[in-house]
Amino acid sequence: MHAYNPENIVALATPPGFGALAIVRFSGLDLRSVHKSFSKKEPINRKAVFTKIYDPMGGGLLDESIILYYKSPQSFTGEDMIEITCHGGSVVPQSIINAAIDSGFRNASPGEFSFRAFLNGKIDLLQAEAVSSLISSKSQFSANISLQHLLGHVSTILFEIRNEAIDVLSIIENEL
């Protein structure tokens, strides 16, 4: 059993506003049927497809967008994921989110995608923190440092230090 609620989640992955594009992200268990219900097409792992997006419950057309399916564990969260790159603004992305909620999804909490990635062993705690730091960076220097953490450089150094400490402790225990 997971330490988190395994319900399927959905959230806007881009800032709300009036940009040309928005990304709606889904994560959860076995999203193949969800992909098919939104696009009327079979999902192909890690392949972007330009298609019409439909309301799974009502069948109405929501947008003409790009949909991308990630099969578990080949995703950021380690679960099945879908990303729909749709037209921006507030109406179209919210209509897709509402359709997902009507289909049984729930709104993701802030940071929940990174939290699931951490719990599923896709990233460590330093990398999870780095995602937040990178997003909130106010300078290029800060972004570069956060990116190094996200890429796992600090985690690798700490892992090497840990292994060396265990080796030294083993030698000391043997000598005692």
Side-chain angles (χ1 to χ4, degrees), residues 33-133:
S33 62
V34 174
H35 181 287
K36 192 169 183 178
S37 68
F38 272 91
S39 69
K40 311 279 191 238
K41 295 181 179 177
E42 286 293 331
I44 301 170
N45 189 33
R46 302 174 69 92
K47 183 173 185 208
V49 177
F50 182 69
T51 185
K52 290 179 171 57
I53 302 296
Y54 299 94
D55 181 341
M57 302 303 283
L61 183 64
L62 299 174
D63 196 17
E64 193 170 40
S65 308
I66 294 173
I67 189 167
L68 184 55
Y69 172 75
Y70 299 92
K71 173 111 179 82
S72 168
Q74 298 174 317
S75 71
F76 175 70
T77 62
E79 303 171 332
D80 281 3
M81 279 184 56
I82 296 171
E83 289 184 349
I84 297 177
T85 304
C86 59
H87 289 95
S90 58
V91 175
V92 173
Q94 193 59 53
S95 69
I96 293 170
I97 291 170
N98 290 342
I101 291 170
D102 291 344
S103 299
F105 282 74
R106 71 171 172 80
N107 277 314
S109 301
E112 189 167 0
F113 287 90
S114 295
F115 180 64
R116 288 181 176 207
F118 168 70
L119 290 178
N120 289 324
K122 299 298 284 186
I123 57 175
D124 63 31
L125 190 56
L126 286 173
Q127 290 171 306
E129 287 291 327
V131 171
S132 177
S133 296

